[in-house]
Amino acid sequence: MQRRDFITLLSGAAVGWPLAARAQPKIPRIGFMGNSTVALEANLVDAFREGLRELGYEEGRNIIIEYRWADGKYDRFPVLAAELIAAKVDAIVTAGTPAALAVKKATTTVPLVMVAVGDPIGTGLVPSLARPGGNLTGLSSIAPDLEGKRLQLLREIVPVLSHVAMFVNSLNPFHVSSIKQARAAAQAMRINLQLHDIRKSEDLDDAFAAIRKERPDALLILADRVFLHNRQRIVDFTKEQRLPNVNAYKELVEVGGLISYGPSYEDMHKRAAIYVDKILKGAKPADLPIEQPSKFTFIVNLKAGKELGVTVPSQLLGLADQLIE
């Protein structure tokens, strides 16, 4: 090969190198903002990853997930949201109303896929479920008379039920409607409902002290990540007080709580991957309707029932999706 031909060939290759580099497809980057810790939300993350795999995404190969964890502290959400935005993620996935509100406040451009938000319209997240508008979409956990159904389950287990303690978090906007539901149901069932406001883990001590003094018949625990984060501590207290309990999260029953009833949070995290896929393929969050839950699970921990000294009626056992023995 002549020297002139070699230089021409080399020049042509040099021109092609940057073009080849530019032709490489961009790997999408997703932000996952967890309310608790990686250990306590492993089942939810696994469900999300499973949903992505079924759509052809393999973490580390053709999709990157940036994880941030709030450790059960809502005041960390703005900082975590800012970190994900600075990392130039293509979309953010997060669960619960407080986290979704923090992301909404932080950005109007980065798409947000919400999971298990309570009342997207009532809490000001979106103007419509059918056409959410803006940069938000996802899945809602709202369902008619959910707290009433939980109280009814308690009544089936504790027929003389007249006084129920309820854990709420005033920092969670969704609890406004949940409390309204619970109060209406309690009034119809002639149950005295005593609310205990728990905004952070440290507030549990005062709530426990009040319950020891009041001696309620049972405990209703709403859906909130502070409660999920502190599930073992709460369940240990119910065992100590022999206090029948109904929970929004199955995770509390898995560590020794009595019963849970509510939408499947794992199913919602898996379905969140569908929204992510659509957004990565060009869909606008504003045009993607927010789903309402279609799958509910009722779980009974028989061992916990024995420890608490209560018997779950056979008709309820027949309705259970899962029995823990």
Side-chain angles (χ1 to χ4, degrees), residues 113-134:
V113 177
M114 308 177 292
V115 185
V117 289
D119 182 1
I121 297 175
T123 56
L125 282 165
V126 297
S128 165
L129 296 181
R131 295 188 64 84

Side-chain angles (χ1 to χ4, degrees), residues 35 72-75 77 97-98 166-179 195-201 203 220-228 230:
N35 286 251
K73 300 175 182 177
Y74 285 0
D75 57 359
F77 287 144
T97 303
M166 183 166 76
F167 282 178
V168 304
N169 183 348
S170 60
L171 295 179
N172 189 336
F174 171 52
H175 282 190
V176 174
S177 59
S178 295
I179 292 170
L195 273 58
H196 297 275
D197 187 13
I198 300 167
R199 293 173 287 181
K200 56 186 184 301
S201 300
D203 294 334
L220 166 61
I221 303 172
L222 297 186
D224 189 90
R225 299 304 159 128
V226 172
F227 309 147
L228 184 64
N230 290 280

Side-chain angles (χ1 to χ4, degrees), residues 1-145:
M1 181 183 293
Q2 297 292 327
R3 181 174 182 274
R4 179 181 301 171
D5 295 335
F6 175 75
I7 292 174
T8 302
L9 177 62
L10 186 63
S11 300
V15 170
W17 290 338
L19 291 176
R22 286 197 297 270
Q24 300 239 344
K26 175 180 176 288
I27 298 179
R29 187 179 298 266
I30 304 301
F32 187 99
M33 190 167 77
N35 286 251
S36 186
T37 65
V38 62
L40 293 177
E41 294 191 25
N43 60 320
L44 304 179
V45 175
D46 288 346
F48 177 59
R49 287 172 175 157
E50 181 182 353
L52 288 174
R53 283 195 299 271
E54 291 182 359
L55 293 166
Y57 297 98
E58 182 180 337
E59 187 176 1
R61 183 178 67 84
N62 59 357
I63 195 167
I64 297 170
I65 304 178
E66 295 272 359
Y67 297 97
R68 297 294 187 277
W69 300 99
D71 295 322
K73 300 175 182 177
Y74 285 0
D75 57 359
R76 296 194 62 191
F77 287 144
V79 174
L80 300 181
E83 288 180 4
L84 291 174
I85 294 166
K88 300 188 182 303
V89 295
D90 297 292
I92 295 174
V93 176
T94 195
T97 303
L101 285 169
V103 175
K104 179 180 181 179
K105 187 175 181 181
T107 178
T108 58
T109 56
V110 179
L112 169 62
V113 177
M114 308 177 292
V115 185
V117 289
D119 182 1
I121 297 175
T123 56
L125 282 165
V126 297
S128 165
L129 296 181
R131 295 188 64 84
N135 60 318
L136 285 69
T137 188
L139 303 101
S140 168
S141 61
I142 191 170
D145 197 30

